[in-house]
Amino acid sequence: MTDAADLRTRVADLLAAHPPATTGRAEFLRARFDAGLAWVHYPQALGGLGAPRSLQAVVDAELAAAGAPDNDPRRIGIGLGMAAPTLLQYGSDEVRSRFLPPLWVGDEVWCQLFSEPGAGSDLAALGTRAVRDGDDWIVNGQKVWTSSAHVARWAILIARTDPDLPKHRGITYFVCDMTDPGVEVRPLRQITGEAEFNEVFLTDVRIPDAHRLGAVGEGWKVAQTTLMNERVSIGGSRIPREGGMIGPVSRTWRERPELRTHDLHQRLLTLWVEAEVARLAGERLRQQLVAGQPGPEGSAMKLAFARLNQEISGLEVELLGEEGLLYDDWTLRRPELVDFTGREAGYRYLRSKGNSIEGGTTEVLLNIVAERVLGLPAEPRNDKDIAWKDLAR
Amino acid sequence: MTDLLYTEDESDLRAAVRSLLTARADPAALTGGRAESGSPVDGALWQALATEVGAAGLLVPEKRGGQGASHREAAVVLEELGRGCVPAPFLTSSVVATAALLALGDEADAAAALLGDLAAGRRTAVLAVPLSTAPDGPLPAAGRVTGVADAAGADVLLVLRGDGLYAVDRADAGVEPQTALDLTRPLAAVTVSEGTGTLLAGRADGEAAVRRGLLTGAGLLASEQLGIAEWCLEETVRHTRERHQFNRPVGSFQALKHRMAQLWLEVVSARAAARAAADALATGSGEAALLAAVAQAYCSRVAVHAAEECVQLHGGIGMTWEHPAHLYLKRAKADEIAYGTPGRHKERLAGLVGLDAP
Ligand SMILES: Cc1cc2nc3c(=O)[nH]c(=O)nc-3n(C[C@H](O)[C@H](O)[C@H](O)COP(=O)(O)OP(=O)(O)OC[C@H]3O[C@@H](n4cnc5c(N)ncnc54)[C@H](O)[C@@H]3O)c2cc1C
């Protein structure tokens, strides 16, 4: 049985054979995959050792401490956190060994074709259609808010295969080839001026049945696997004090005494305390994971950081006063990853508005905490037994 | 690095305290009149806590008659006492007065003897300063000091005078009970005349010891506040699941669910803050003052918020004397002021982290 001590030995061996200082990123990541240290709970030959999942945090902590290159989870987070566990659980052997290695190394970026203009929080209401045609499926529809679609090689896709069933039951889950001629990716310009996201139009896209994950009509269940899997490397690294958005505003406060007011001082101190407490809570969560005691606190952290990022960046723009009236650059850009601290306060303020919407809105997450963590009763529903085609839109 | 989890020993200690409190601390007796009596402490319960569980001597090294545990364990006891809103002189005597005496070192014989008595649960002692005093706040001049917590039940008062820190028998001091907002932590005005008591230390050492006691109190009070908030949230969830209106459990209304989920988030965060402060005090970390200030600035608000939500979401019954919610609200509000308000702690923090005022 693989335990923490065994994993530490394996990490030490990996580091000795491939010293991070002299090994290229991709080469190191491939070696890590082959050593079974990519995701330790995966099977052998698929980047894992069949070890308890909780031990991943031990590996991540050791590697982070050794300064090993990571696989840039911000760029390939959807592949790592969402596509991979779903492929593992529902993919055939061919599918798993074809897709997992390049996904891990970052050679192939994944995106997630879930949200639609008419299906956001109520994702199960989606209307993109997939119709069987021999060994293929033919897909038509529109997706929105697709991060990384413009750089993605593959996508996880959910589509409706039976409109006569209630909405949760007529959905099927696929792997979609983003190079298929029927896939059109258009930039979705957002509040910041840049286009980090895309709209994706699917016109007669052919998907081989071999790229279906799970049974026909079971797509919602498969999607739950995707949505419940948090980023694999969660909590690998520690955030230092003032490591988040509170850092730049604190520096500005120290360096620019002429901007200070009493009101801003009170608000800054309150936010500083809250940011420090959120950092400590994140650190506590990390320690829980390393100790093999994962808890539901992860959803708390997302809620806390969303609100704090918004309040802190709002305060920062206000503190800057006359300069806060300016914006760094409205040019339409297509960044491969989001860089909060590389741009100015106005950008942080606008971009952070998405933190309480992306990956489930704050309201929806509060519902989840209330029902799954606190055990409060669900609200009455009126959408469970009605065919999808008869729902209000 | 700060250890923010609970050890197995700490969990065992929690279980021991909780089972004692479940068996013997009766909220009905409190709401039924003992709280109003001015001496709400249940002597037998306190003796059991102090001696059977060994709570009184947690902070005291074994060679000086205690359990040789640390602030981390004391914090766990405070969580449980907060959860039960238990009237007991643990915070004032076993934490604050004890930490002050410990800060005097092992040379002072009189202090050592007193410390041994406190650790063994034979006597209790309190600092003769207002409960509201912040670790860096102004200390009272001798004479009459008001708002002294647990003074009426204490055996010994630790009094800071111009020339030093004294231990004064309560019998030798004037102690007038005051009517306190928090019925479970009684306050009194204390008058001590010049010349009474035993000198424990000179002024400088005495003042440093008092400040150490206050800092320890502030840092660990956060754990009591965490316990209060936890109880308030749990009871509110329980009540709103059971209480039906409009043919539904009221806890199924989203307006309420979101408020309780928000409280849960605050409780999770408060736990991290309280643990960080306790760990820093236990390890003698240079960050103890900073983390105690962070914990106080945060956890005070969480406890008050949880208690206020508890009263509100219980509806009418939350306003009644027979429901214990009011005891928690009163304790939470008083704790917000105890050992410095959140505002004072933020001011202190501003100095510590270089975020100066305009
Ligand atoms: C920056 C950003 C990045 C994103 N990245 C991706 C991505 O990579 N892939 C992807 O598939 N999607 C992505 N999304 C889409 C995102 O998941 C949805 O925007 C989100 O789930 C909300 O859906 P909606 O926008 O349709 O809002 P709606 O669902 O229409 O919600 C509108 C409002 O109603 C509230 N609301 C809805 N239902 C409830 C309820 N039951 N109770 C209480 N309030 C409710 C919401 O909280 C919100 O305030 C991204 C979105 C943003 C903004």
Side-chain angles (χ1 to χ4, degrees):
Chain A
M1 184 64 193
T2 311
D3 59 12
D6 175 44
L7 285 177
R8 289 199 176 93
T9 313
R10 287 169 187 266
V11 170
D13 291 348
L14 171 70
L15 290 167
H18 305 271
T22 53
T23 313
R25 167 190 296 272
E27 190 192 332
F28 184 88
L29 291 170
R30 248 172 243 124
R32 182 175 166 186
F33 188 94
D34 294 339
L37 296 170
W39 25 47
V40 295
H41 55 295
Y42 279 33
Q44 255 152 5
L46 290 178
L49 297 163
R53 182 189 178 131
S54 55
L55 291 178
Q56 184 66 40
V58 175
V59 173
D60 291 343
E62 295 273 310
L63 286 173
D70 75 4
N71 44 17
D72 209 344
R74 286 176 304 166
R75 181 166 161 270
I76 62 169
I78 290 175
L80 283 181
M82 308 184 90
T86 317
L87 291 163
L88 177 71
Q89 192 170 339
Y90 291 97
S92 63
D93 287 347
E94 289 79 4
V95 160
R96 299 196 301 181
S97 43
R98 159 66 187 83
F99 288 123
L100 288 176
L103 184 161
W104 164 260
V105 176
D107 290 344
E108 289 181 350
V109 173
W110 285 68
C111 69
Q112 179 203 352
L113 296 175
F114 280 18
S115 300
E116 297 183 7
S121 301
D122 185 10
L123 185 57
L126 59 92
T128 291
R129 284 282 275 133
V131 178
R132 185 86 192 225
D133 180 40
D135 282 345
D136 288 343
W137 293 83
I138 299 181
V139 181
N140 282 283
Q142 184 195 341
K143 299 287 178 175
V144 74
W145 284 115
T146 317
S147 323
S148 308
H150 56 296
V151 288
R153 175 65 183 79
W154 298 101
I156 44 179
L157 164 75
I158 43 181
R160 186 155 306 279
T161 42
D162 190 344
D164 294 325
L165 291 174
K167 64 181 180 186
H168 291 94
R169 304 223 303 265
I171 296 173
T172 304
Y173 198 114
F174 301 96
V175 171
C176 174
D177 183 344
M178 293 298 284
T179 64
D180 188 284
V183 176
E184 190 200 343
V185 177
R186 290 187 206 156
L188 178 61
R189 195 172 191 199
Q190 78 225 44
I191 196 166
T192 54
E194 66 184 3
E196 197 189 319
F197 303 94
N198 304 277
E199 294 178 295
V200 178
F201 295 82
L202 305 166
T203 313
D204 293 332
V205 175
R206 291 194 90 85
I207 297 183
D209 190 53
H211 283 183
R212 169 168 53 78
L213 298 181
V216 175
E218 296 277 290
W220 185 250
K221 198 178 100 200
V222 184
Q224 290 308 105
T225 308
T226 309
L227 296 171
M228 271 162 30
N229 271 286
E230 308 229 12
R231 242 184 55 204
V232 174
S233 57
I234 182 172
S237 55
R238 294 186 158 130
I239 312 175
R241 180 168 294 146
E242 294 192 6
M245 286 219 186
I246 197 71
V249 68
S250 299
R251 275 194 294 283
T252 307
W253 183 271
R254 290 182 189 116
E255 286 160 14
R256 309 272 304 270
E258 76 280 8
L259 298 175
R260 299 175 190 166
T261 70
H262 286 281
D263 165 60
L264 286 168
H265 192 228
Q266 294 305 312
R267 287 156 57 200
L268 174 64
L269 289 174
T270 300
L271 289 171
W272 196 95
V273 167
E274 289 177 349
E276 172 67 3
V277 172
R279 183 184 78 84
L280 290 167
E283 173 61 20
R284 185 161 196 276
L285 176 66
R286 201 191 67 81
Q287 293 182 5
Q288 278 178 286
L289 289 171
V290 172
Q293 318 158 355
E297 286 84 354
S299 38
M301 296 330 303
K302 195 222 172 217
L303 287 164
F305 281 115
R307 182 183 61 82
L308 277 172
N309 284 348
Q310 294 174 356
E311 288 191 22
I312 293 168
S313 58
L315 181 91
E316 193 180 358
V317 172
E318 191 179 336
L319 170 65
L320 287 169
E322 196 182 330
E323 284 164 54
L325 293 169
L326 304 175
Y327 190 73
D328 58 0
D329 184 5
W330 289 115
T331 316
L332 181 126
R333 307 191 200 179
R334 308 233 57 200
E336 267 197 37
L337 49 84
V338 202
D339 182 6
F340 281 117
T341 38
R343 289 187 62 176
E344 287 177 11
Y347 174 85
R348 283 197 274 285
Y349 173 69
L350 295 174
R351 180 58 184 83
S352 67
K353 292 291 164 278
N355 294 162
S356 53
I357 300 172
E358 59 198 334
T361 66
T362 289
E363 292 74 21
V364 166
L365 286 181
L366 287 172
N367 285 347
I368 291 174
V369 167
E371 289 172 21
R372 304 214 189 127
V373 181
L374 298 178
L376 287 163
E379 288 194 82
R381 305 189 58 148
N382 63 6
D383 60 348
K384 279 248 154 140
D385 301 313
I386 303 176
W388 173 81
K389 63 178 174 25
D390 299 326
L391 291 176
R393 268 181 263 285
Chain B
M1 177 61 204
T2 328
D3 175 3
L4 301 171
L5 305 181
Y6 299 103
T7 64
E8 235 169 84
D9 286 352
E10 287 163 12
S11 302
D12 292 347
L13 175 64
R14 177 196 305 286
V17 175
R18 192 177 291 186
S19 79
L20 179 72
L21 295 180
T22 316
R24 315 229 329 231
D26 184 5
L30 268 183
T31 52
R34 216 180 58 229
E36 282 165 280
S37 71
S39 53
V41 175
D42 171 345
L45 175 68
W46 168 242
Q47 273 310 307
L49 256 176
T51 58
E52 284 170 33
V53 178
L58 282 176
L59 289 184
V60 181
E62 283 174 48
K63 66 170 167 38
R64 305 188 68 185
Q67 307 292 318
S70 78
H71 303 76
R72 294 176 53 96
E73 286 82 2
V76 168
V77 172
L78 280 166
E79 281 180 33
E80 293 303 310
L81 294 175
R83 251 175 178 284
C85 207
V86 179
F90 180 77
L91 180 65
T92 48
S93 177
S94 315
V95 171
V96 175
T98 298
L101 291 171
L102 282 168
L104 295 174
D106 349 15
E107 274 103 78
D109 287 348
L114 177 54
L115 196 58
D117 283 352
L118 299 189
R122 282 190 291 271
R123 295 204 279 173
T124 60
V126 300
L127 286 188
V129 303
L131 179 60
S132 58
T133 312
D136 62 341
L139 297 171
R144 187 168 185 272
V145 182
T146 54
V148 180
D150 290 333
D155 302 297
V156 178
L157 306 169
L158 301 181
V159 181
L160 191 64
R161 295 215 186 94
D163 61 340
L165 180 66
Y166 288 82
V168 178
D169 277 356
R170 192 202 38 200
D172 299 335
V175 176
E176 319 143 42
Q178 296 178 291
T179 306
L181 173 70
D182 174 6
L183 292 150
T184 61
R185 185 166 279 143
L187 302 179
V190 170
T191 317
V192 184
S193 41
E194 283 294 324
T196 39
T198 314
L199 182 69
L200 299 177
R203 174 72 201 196
D205 288 350
E207 182 174 335
V210 167
R211 294 211 180 279
R212 187 68 202 173
L214 292 170
L215 176 66
T216 310
L220 295 194
L221 179 63
S223 292
E224 175 173 305
Q225 290 164 324
L226 168 63
I228 293 170
E230 272 185 318
W231 183 90
C232 291
L233 174 59
E234 270 172 38
E235 274 308 294
T236 306
V237 167
R238 196 183 57 72
H239 177 76
T240 56
R241 284 171 58 171
E242 287 166 8
R243 171 77 175 165
H244 282 66
Q245 295 287 286
F246 303 98
N247 198 32
R248 284 165 64 176
V250 291
S252 70
F253 291 104
Q254 197 180 63
L256 270 59
K257 287 162 78 168
H258 283 192
R259 283 162 66 170
M260 287 183 265
Q262 177 60 38
L263 271 185
W264 176 79
L265 177 59
E266 290 172 26
V267 168
V268 166
S269 308
R271 174 169 291 110
R275 281 274 95 190
D279 190 70
L281 286 164
T283 56
S285 149
E287 299 210 314
L290 189 156
L291 289 170
V294 166
Q296 271 307 293
Y298 190 79
C299 299
S300 294
R301 297 283 198 229
V302 172
V304 171
H305 185 212
E308 288 178 348
E309 290 288 73
C310 181
V311 169
Q312 175 65 22
L313 301 192
H314 272 77
I317 197 175
M319 283 297 289
T320 64
W321 192 267
E322 82 226 61
H323 193 282
H326 69 99
L327 295 176
Y328 287 83
L329 179 66
K330 292 163 187 171
R331 170 71 73 87
K333 198 64 189 169
D335 277 1
E336 187 181 43
I337 298 165
Y339 305 117
T341 59
R344 266 216 79 106
H345 285 284
K346 277 188 274 181
E347 252 171 54
R348 181 171 161 75
L349 199 60
L352 291 170
V353 301
L355 293 172
D356 299 326

